[in-house]
Amino acid sequence: MTEKYIKLAMLSAGLVLGAASYVEAQDLRHCAPRDQVIDRLATKYGETRQSMGLGANNAVMEVFASIESGSWTITVTMANGITCLVASGQSFEELAEALPPKGDDA
């Protein structure tokens, strides 16, 4: 009987810790209406849209970057117009690489 209580207590503790981690992850998300995010990226970081693509559930992925400072940001905008920052960093470089010829193992 005591073993059942120990297992139940451990399961409960795991659920509580999991829920706390989920709430913390929600707080770490940086999301706002798209126009606010775009304005902030432009005014604070000098970043403009460099590329974009369509993802699952009609989400739009965009890469913003500043050619002058090298800062970059990846955003995802959901169908409801909310944009979330996914990643950011430094040393952005613009590339236009061609595919290797067919049959080339490179």
Side-chain angles (χ1 to χ4, degrees):
M1 190 71 134
T2 317
E3 187 175 285
K4 282 186 180 181
Y5 287 119
I6 292 173
K7 286 182 183 178
L8 182 61
M10 290 178 71
L11 178 63
S12 297
L15 289 173
V16 169
L17 288 174
S21 297
Y22 179 74
V23 169
E24 184 175 283
Q26 292 292 323
D27 289 340
L28 294 177
R29 259 201 245 166
H30 301 288
C31 302
R34 185 176 186 281
D35 58 340
Q36 291 178 11
V37 173
I38 303 311
D39 183 57
R40 176 131 178 147
L41 291 174
T43 57
K44 186 167 182 178
Y45 301 101
E47 296 181 2
T48 59
R49 186 169 57 185
Q50 303 295 314
S51 62
M52 63 185 291
L54 188 60
N57 298 324
N58 293 322
V60 177
M61 182 281 309
E62 297 171 291
V63 176
F64 293 85
S66 169
I67 303 301
E68 287 135 16
S69 72
S71 70
W72 58 267
T73 305
I74 298 174
T75 66
V76 173
T77 302
M78 301 301 163
N80 64 3
I82 298 298
T83 298
C84 297
L85 303 178
V86 176
S88 62
Q90 295 295 318
S91 301
F92 176 81
E93 292 184 33
E94 189 175 282
L95 301 175
E97 295 180 349
L99 290 173
K102 288 187 177 188
D104 189 355
D105 290 339

